[in-house]
Amino acid sequence: MKAIKAAKKSSLQNKNTTSHKSAAIKTKKLKNNPVSKIKNVKKNNAHELEDWLKKLNLLFKLNPAPMVIYSLPDRKIIDVNEATIKLSGFKRKELIGHTNDDLKVHLKEDDRTKLYKKLISKGYINNYELTLRSKDGKLIDIIFAGEVFGNNGKKYILATMIDLTSHKLSERAQRESEEKYRSILETTEEGYYEIDLAGNFTFFNDSVCRLLGYSRKELMGMNNRKYMDKETAKRVFQTFNKVYRTGEPTKEFDWQIIRKDGNKRYIEQSILLQKDPSGKPIGFRGTIRDITERRKTEELLKQSEAQYRLLADHMKDQVWLMDPNLKVTYVSPSVEKLLGYSTEELLKLPINKILTKKSLQKAMDTFFKELNNSSRNIMLELECRCKDSRIIWIEASFGFILDENGKPMSILGEGREITQRKQIEDFLQKSEENFRHSLDDSPLGVRISTAEGETIYANKVILDMYGYESIEELKKIPIEKRYTPESYNQFLARKEKRLLGEFGPSEYEISIVRKNGEIRHLHVFRKEIFWNGKKQSQVIYEDITLRRLAEEKLNQILGNLRKSIRTTIQVLGTASEARDPYTAGHQKRVADLARTIATEMGLPQDSIEAIRMAGAIHDIGKISIPSEILCKPTKLTDLEYSLVQAHTQYSYEIMKDVESPWPLADIVYQHHERINGSGYPQGLKGENILIEARILAVADVVEAMASYRPYRPSLGVQNALREIEDNAGILYDRIVVDTCLKLFRENRFKLE
């Protein structure tokens, strides 16, 4: 169920997006009306706006969703449709010319601010969920979509809303209903069961497990013949067969079971025939209870009336005697406890004060009907009125006590309270109806199918997705025609697994072919459920076609951005090389070494790309330092050295405003920081330094020491490696150092 609930919201969002897109297209058509291009026709702005609004009026009238048009920048409402008036509770004249702030419709000021900023910055907004306040103060949950558009030099906002209030209330009621159902099944002492037509368990509560002595895992799918002898099995089959043939439920049927531990117990069972929506029998359901003690008591009652009364006084079930006129002559103490009356009160009360009018009539009709057939017991479900006015249900068994001539002289009644059971039965019926309604009304496509892929049930949304009018029309189309070739092959693979008993993936994506030939992309969630007593597959579909298109567009934008960044880096590198050839060659070698270290460490591809980019321009800030200082062959003064150190700050200033998916400015800013905090310019320590900057620092030191400089000859690669090895964990990241040493010592990298 969580999967179904969970799915509703996304579908409503898709619906909203479609409505928004449609509105935007229609608005664009009005804006580009070729009539406006006719030469020598001049109209003032007021008339053009009036004409434009008239054309939009048709869109308002046809759209069942609330729609509002705001003018910018004052955000005043200039038009609304009837759905908006109905939703908000305001009259049209109360809305036109006012802002949302004037009307105080926003529950949270922060929601309004965020919504407006996002809408203005992007030009549109989709699937924004918020809560509004109607005129009478009622809170309304909605999904909001809006778009900024222009007309005759002015800008407006076209907003569309979907009311989620009833949907959320329905979800809450459904959850409460399910919790109540589970609570009743878990707490009742009576066993509740469901079996298929072959007698195999498909559902039961914990009371059934306790009664039969099997675990839930052992009992699921077990046939009822396993816990009875052959003679009993024959009698049980005949009873179930009668219910199957006649459709009439059996209220009382008792027989002997054999528990897992070998002990024998007597149970009393009710049997109701289960049918699918078409009326086809699919199994049985009912309740069972242990009546072993009651059976023993009945045997003792036959031996002695005195013993009978003694035992009856201590039974949990209720026992009473009535004369042929239905006057009570004896009640057991359990009756007093059940109804709240004393024995004296019960003996004086007429039967119509104890039974409800409907139950009294039912009892009278039954007694008179069975009076001539006094040898058999009568089972009735009756409503009783307690002393405190509560109405409870009892299941009562009646038998006639005969005189020596075989004529009834009194009626023996035995009963037990079944109020909880009646609540369960009523709730099961309502719960099943609610479940069917939740599927029918779901905003997502829902399909129930067999392991072979045959559709048993499909709601309206799934039919809309495929473009067919009915499930019969959908079934007529071969499955291979409803999929794209690639998706059909994937379907066959999943089907083969299911037929082999393997449950395939619970989530996947498919591409379908609609009736009109259009291809749609769907996200699918599949799980196993019991449908009409049989294990089937519930498949939930979400249309993600628009999301797919948006993802493709986003990937294209990101690709263009990366290309732009690479061009920018190349231009900066060229500028650096023109200024200082030593710096340019150094940057290229550092970038190659840093990228190789990052790859060896298994960093994500994005981080590797960021390191390569940053390495290629990590000293770009040196273009701000006089070349006389950069190329000075002697030792630098303190002032000159401080100017050289400032190149990290200059690099940061150059790169900070470059639009990039990577933190290039921060990487180059930190590449002279050290693990122990002795670096510059910020004195950062350990994990506070970006991993990309820590890798760049090691590569920078190795290349600098191994290369020639105007002020000194090359110190050699081995000295460079010894420097980073001696200071691993002190100045340089130990993992980065170990990776760098491994690359050089295994001859997998060489400075070019």
Side-chain angles (χ1 to χ4, degrees), residues 127-172:
N127 304 328
Y128 194 96
E129 191 168 337
L130 71 159
T131 303
L132 300 180
R133 184 188 291 108
S134 66
K135 182 180 179 181
D136 61 4
K138 178 183 175 183
L139 300 184
I140 307 169
D141 295 307
I142 68 162
I143 289 181
F144 177 94
E147 181 171 346
V148 177
F149 63 95
N151 187 69
N152 295 322
K154 293 185 178 181
K155 287 188 175 182
Y156 303 87
I157 297 174
L158 175 62
T160 306
M161 295 163 281
I162 291 181
D163 185 3
L164 294 177
T165 307
S166 60
H167 168 68
K168 289 196 172 183
L169 289 175
S170 176
E171 281 187 336
R172 190 180 303 116

Side-chain angles (χ1 to χ4, degrees), residues 79 117 134 146 156 162 167 171 251 269 333 368 636 710 712 737:
D79 203 1
K117 285 184 178 179
S134 66
Y156 303 87
I162 291 181
H167 168 68
E171 281 187 336
K251 297 298 183 181
Q269 179 172 352
F368 287 119
L636 299 177
R712 63 155 174 81
V737 169

Side-chain angles (χ1 to χ4, degrees), residues 73-284:
D74 57 15
R75 289 181 273 173
K76 289 184 177 180
I77 298 172
I78 65 170
D79 203 1
V80 298
N81 66 354
E82 289 301 320
T84 301
I85 295 171
K86 182 178 179 181
L87 178 68
S88 67
F90 288 97
K91 295 179 180 179
R92 179 178 293 276
K93 63 181 180 180
E94 293 174 327
L95 295 169
I96 303 301
H98 294 86
T99 66
N100 284 0
D101 289 344
D102 297 336
L103 301 170
K104 295 182 171 35
V105 296
H106 285 284
L107 186 63
K108 297 179 181 178
E109 180 66 17
D110 187 52
D111 279 351
R112 181 191 64 78
T113 304
K114 287 181 180 178
L115 175 63
Y116 182 73
K117 285 184 178 179
K118 190 172 181 180
L119 182 55
I120 295 303
S121 64
K122 294 182 68 176
Y124 69 92
I125 190 170
N126 283 329
N127 304 328
Y128 194 96
E129 191 168 337
L130 71 159
T131 303
L132 300 180
R133 184 188 291 108
S134 66
K135 182 180 179 181
D136 61 4
K138 178 183 175 183
L139 300 184
I140 307 169
D141 295 307
I142 68 162
I143 289 181
F144 177 94
E147 181 171 346
V148 177
F149 63 95
N151 187 69
N152 295 322
K154 293 185 178 181
K155 287 188 175 182
Y156 303 87
I157 297 174
L158 175 62
T160 306
M161 295 163 281
I162 291 181
D163 185 3
L164 294 177
T165 307
S166 60
H167 168 68
K168 289 196 172 183
L169 289 175
S170 176
E171 281 187 336
R172 190 180 303 116
Q174 180 71 11
R175 286 196 301 271
E176 292 173 355
S177 177
E178 291 171 353
E179 289 171 0
K180 182 178 178 183
Y181 166 66
R182 286 196 299 270
S183 176
I184 292 173
L185 279 183
E186 290 170 359
T187 58
T188 183
E189 292 182 1
E190 288 192 338
Y192 174 81
Y193 71 92
E194 292 181 5
I195 60 175
D196 60 23
L197 293 176
N200 302 313
F201 277 109
T202 59
F203 179 80
F204 47 85
N205 64 359
D206 291 340
S207 295
V208 177
C209 296
R210 290 192 295 269
L211 179 59
L212 298 178
Y214 291 92
S215 68
R216 179 172 289 276
K217 184 177 180 181
E218 292 171 326
L219 203 54
M220 181 60 72
M222 180 187 292
N223 192 273
N224 56 10
R225 291 187 179 87
K226 185 166 177 84
Y227 48 87
M228 65 183 81
D229 58 33
K230 291 183 179 180
E231 193 62 30
T232 303
K234 182 178 179 181
R235 193 161 63 92
V236 170
F237 172 79
Q238 291 172 347
T239 304
F240 274 90
N241 188 44
K242 181 180 178 182
V243 174
Y244 177 84
R245 287 185 289 101
T246 64
E248 293 294 326
T250 296
K251 297 298 183 181
E252 179 187 33
F253 173 59
D254 55 86
W255 48 286
Q256 190 181 66
I257 62 165
I258 304 172
R259 287 170 46 86
K260 182 182 179 181
D261 58 11
N263 288 331
K264 296 181 179 180
R265 307 289 291 180
Y266 284 94
I267 66 167
E268 187 176 76
Q269 179 172 352
S270 65
I271 308 170
L272 292 89
L273 185 64
Q274 281 187 301
K275 298 181 180 180
D276 65 16
S278 66
K280 179 182 177 181
I282 58 170
F284 304 89

Side-chain angles (χ1 to χ4, degrees), residues 231-401:
E231 193 62 30
T232 303
K234 182 178 179 181
R235 193 161 63 92
V236 170
F237 172 79
Q238 291 172 347
T239 304
F240 274 90
N241 188 44
K242 181 180 178 182
V243 174
Y244 177 84
R245 287 185 289 101
T246 64
E248 293 294 326
T250 296
K251 297 298 183 181
E252 179 187 33
F253 173 59
D254 55 86
W255 48 286
Q256 190 181 66
I257 62 165
I258 304 172
R259 287 170 46 86
K260 182 182 179 181
D261 58 11
N263 288 331
K264 296 181 179 180
R265 307 289 291 180
Y266 284 94
I267 66 167
E268 187 176 76
Q269 179 172 352
S270 65
I271 308 170
L272 292 89
L273 185 64
Q274 281 187 301
K275 298 181 180 180
D276 65 16
S278 66
K280 179 182 177 181
I282 58 170
F284 304 89
R285 68 181 181 183
T287 58
I288 58 175
R289 71 176 63 84
D290 189 340
I291 61 166
T292 305
E293 299 303 319
R294 193 181 84 192
R295 287 292 295 267
K296 291 179 180 178
T297 301
E298 289 174 349
E299 293 296 325
L300 291 172
L301 285 173
K302 293 178 181 178
Q303 299 175 13
S304 169
E305 182 178 352
Q307 290 178 334
Y308 161 74
R309 285 184 179 260
L310 179 62
L311 291 171
D313 287 347
H314 294 85
M315 282 181 62
K316 290 184 179 180
D317 285 352
Q318 293 74 44
V319 179
W320 63 94
L321 286 171
M322 297 183 294
D323 63 22
N325 296 319
L326 302 185
K327 177 177 174 54
V328 177
T329 60
Y330 165 80
V331 293
S332 66
S334 54
V335 177
E336 300 179 46
K337 185 177 179 180
L338 178 66
L339 299 180
Y341 293 101
S342 67
T343 300
E344 292 75 17
E345 289 174 322
L346 286 168
L347 294 176
K348 293 178 182 178
L349 277 175
I351 194 68
N352 63 339
K353 296 295 184 182
I354 299 175
L355 296 179
T356 62
K357 183 178 180 180
K358 185 176 180 180
S359 288
L360 177 61
Q361 187 63 48
K362 181 179 180 181
M364 296 288 288
D365 292 344
T366 303
F367 288 148
F368 287 119
K369 180 180 178 181
E370 299 294 334
L371 195 58
N372 295 324
N373 190 15
S374 54
S375 61
R376 55 170 281 182
N377 283 351
I378 303 168
M379 178 64 71
L380 293 175
E381 290 183 357
L382 303 170
E383 283 185 298
C384 295
R385 188 180 293 105
C386 298
K387 188 174 182 178
D388 60 7
S389 299
R390 286 183 302 111
I391 302 296
I392 62 171
W393 280 91
I394 66 166
E395 185 177 64
S397 173
F398 295 95
F400 293 98
I401 299 177

Side-chain angles (χ1 to χ4, degrees), residues 662-727:
W662 312 289
L664 299 180
D666 290 323
I667 296 172
V668 299
Y669 193 34
Q670 297 178 13
H671 80 278
H672 276 289
E673 302 288 354
R674 297 295 181 254
I675 297 298
N676 62 2
S678 63
Y680 64 87
Q682 302 175 82
L684 300 178
K685 292 183 179 181
E687 296 295 327
N688 291 327
I689 307 170
L690 294 173
I691 182 61
E692 293 89 350
R694 282 180 266 157
I695 293 173
L696 198 58
V698 170
D700 188 37
V701 168
V702 171
E703 198 288 328
M705 291 183 66
S707 299
Y708 167 81
R709 288 290 182 270
Y711 49 86
R712 63 155 174 81
S714 167
L715 300 177
V717 172
Q718 294 307 315
N719 284 329
L721 297 179
R722 191 177 300 110
E723 159 64 20
I724 62 172
E725 187 172 24
D726 291 345
N727 289 289

